[in-house]
Amino acid sequence: MNFMDLAKTRFSTRKFTAQPLEEEKLSQILEAGKFAPTAKNQQPQKIYIIRSQEKLHQLNQLTRCIYGAGTVLLVAYDDNLDWDNPMEEHVSSGEVDAAIVAAHMMMEATELGIGSVWVGWFPPTRTAKALGLPANIKPVMLLPLGYTADTFQPSPMHNQYREASAIVAEL
């Protein structure tokens, strides 16, 4: 599948089956994140695999957006490792780097026939505390992964896009 077909095929899965995600596929998804570009190649990303019933229950107490996935990746960054922009104070790369890593993993999941959904609707600080993460680790998003339920259909908005003229401008 070429990239444009892959990009058009991917959608947000909001209902997963109970079928576990195979270790080989999870490894491939994680490897795709490893190859994502980061600012100055500092690689501040930190990815936590959450699969235990106890940890999934904790996440379900913090957000309703796990959708029954048996595997959830918490994508974060280490604020001791992210790149600080020397041209402007308080501008760093951590969130963007983590987002690029997550996008690579979502696209690899799609290529492998694995459903995923980008979840930003969760409290990062409370989640870090609940999971016992160190203070320098900053959660950016959750990535539930698994097999999409046969009864699930992508959102009707999935194929609605703004016109290029509304989002692209030449200066």
Side-chain angles (χ1 to χ4, degrees):
M1 183 179 316
N2 70 43
F3 182 78
M4 290 302 284
D5 290 337
L6 184 64
K8 291 175 186 176
T9 300
R10 199 216 70 80
F11 61 87
S12 295
T13 295
R14 292 186 179 91
K15 186 175 182 185
F16 294 92
T17 69
Q19 181 180 348
L21 180 60
E22 297 89 344
E23 288 297 320
E24 179 182 312
K25 289 185 179 182
L26 178 58
S27 292
Q28 287 178 260
I29 291 166
L30 294 168
E31 187 171 7
K34 179 175 99 173
F35 295 118
T38 60
K40 222 174 152 194
N41 200 29
Q42 290 190 204
Q43 303 175 33
Q45 70 268 22
K46 183 73 175 175
I47 302 161
Y48 294 92
I49 303 167
I50 302 168
R51 320 184 249 212
S52 75
Q53 289 303 309
E54 175 191 348
K55 296 294 184 193
L56 289 170
H57 178 74
Q58 283 181 298
L59 285 181
N60 279 306
Q61 299 303 305
L62 294 162
T63 180
R64 64 177 189 235
C65 299
I66 303 305
Y67 305 111
T71 300
V72 177
L73 302 180
L74 183 144
V75 182
Y77 69 95
D78 183 333
D79 71 359
N80 293 327
L81 297 177
D82 65 337
W83 176 75
D84 291 320
N85 185 335
M87 299 179 77
E88 189 166 336
E89 197 172 345
H90 305 297
V91 176
S92 62
S93 68
E95 285 189 34
V96 172
D97 290 341
I100 295 167
V101 167
H104 272 60
M105 292 190 300
M106 285 181 8
M107 297 309 280
E108 179 63 13
T110 300
E111 187 172 57
L112 295 172
I114 302 299
S116 67
V117 57
W118 181 288
V119 174
W121 202 84
F122 76 105
T125 304
R126 284 182 39 219
T127 301
K129 185 176 180 180
L131 296 174
L133 303 181
N136 58 304
I137 301 297
K138 307 300 181 190
V140 174
M141 57 87 68
L142 299 171
L143 185 60
L145 296 168
Y147 290 93
T148 304
D150 291 337
T151 57
F152 180 78
Q153 294 296 316
S155 162
M157 293 174 48
H158 175 69
N159 291 317
Q160 295 178 13
Y161 303 98
R162 293 170 54 202
E163 293 296 324
S165 61
I167 54 178
V168 178
E170 190 167 334
L171 297 176

